[in-house]
Amino acid sequence: CDVVLIDTNYAAARQARMAGLRSIYGRALDQSVVEQFEFSAFGRLIAMTPSDKLNLLAAIRFAPLFGKANIFRLAPASQATQTESTVPGEVLSTSELTFDRLQSILAGGGRIVNTKLSAQFTCEQLQEIHGDDLAVLFVQSADGAVNVHTPRSVAFGPGDNLVFVTTRPKPAAEHKDDA
């Protein structure tokens, strides 16, 4: 799954490049950024900035390129930036996963985990382990398709690979399924 990170923080963009991600130092709404990169090769936009308004503006700006159904953003922190159904962009994961919440989880020792469901390890068992400390971000189905998880997404099943955020720190004996 190809990913491009656009960030106004030079150090973050550089760190992403060093980790093997394509990254652009700049503002996603700047015409020069749009012109220097072929965004039509990508299928989705996920707006995850600390600014609810910037996430909304990015959703509006890129909806004609990606289509309204392929625009996602973190939940807004305030009711003032809650949006109507006419504005592009579905909420990523859950309506409780704001930028501040995600940042707090990760700063507090939480982590992003990659786990494959099976007949032996079901979604119910995953939820028993993590309880409310689980926010699914992406689902890779058994056929390889990657989908962004939203509050309206369907249930998961055997063969699905889940990428989720959890507040639970890594257990000492956990095996290699971390992202």
Side-chain angles (χ1 to χ4, degrees):
C1 185
D2 283 337
V3 174
V4 175
L5 170 80
I6 304 172
D7 204 317
T8 58
N9 180 316
Y10 179 79
R14 182 172 177 265
Q15 184 178 13
R17 258 191 316 281
M18 292 177 73
L21 288 175
R22 284 191 253 179
S23 67
I24 297 172
Y25 169 63
R27 297 183 185 278
L29 298 177
D30 286 352
Q31 188 62 31
S32 62
V33 169
V34 174
E35 289 170 356
Q36 83 176 23
F37 201 80
E38 183 56 47
F39 286 103
S40 62
F42 295 86
R44 299 178 189 111
L45 170 80
I46 302 172
M48 299 180 71
T49 75
S51 169
D52 295 337
K53 289 181 181 179
L54 183 56
N55 291 342
L56 181 59
L57 288 171
I60 292 167
R61 168 85 156 98
F62 287 97
L65 181 63
F66 295 113
K68 184 177 177 179
N70 294 311
I71 304 290
F72 304 90
R73 54 195 157 77
L74 289 171
S78 70
Q79 295 297 75
T81 52
Q82 290 286 352
T83 58
E84 305 165 10
S85 61
T86 57
V87 175
E90 283 212 57
V91 169
L92 172 67
S93 188
T94 73
S95 59
E96 290 83 35
L97 191 63
T98 63
F99 182 88
D100 289 343
R101 176 72 179 130
L102 180 59
Q103 188 174 41
S104 173
I105 289 169
L106 296 175
R111 58 205 174 100
I112 297 176
V113 179
N114 180 4
T115 297
K116 187 170 188 172
L117 299 179
S118 66
Q120 294 76 33
F121 187 67
T122 65
C123 188
E124 290 77 19
Q125 291 169 310
L126 181 66
Q127 288 176 320
E128 282 178 24
I129 293 169
H130 293 279
D132 292 336
D133 297 328
L134 172 74
V136 177
L137 302 172
F138 306 101
V139 180
Q140 182 177 23
S141 61
D143 67 2
V146 177
N147 295 298
V148 179
H149 182 68
T150 71
R152 297 189 296 168
S153 295
V154 296
F156 319 113
D160 287 343
N161 195 52
L162 307 182
V163 176
F164 61 92
V165 177
T166 180
T167 59
R168 298 191 185 264
K170 182 176 182 178
E174 188 172 76
H175 53 278
K176 63 177 177 91
D177 66 336
D178 281 357

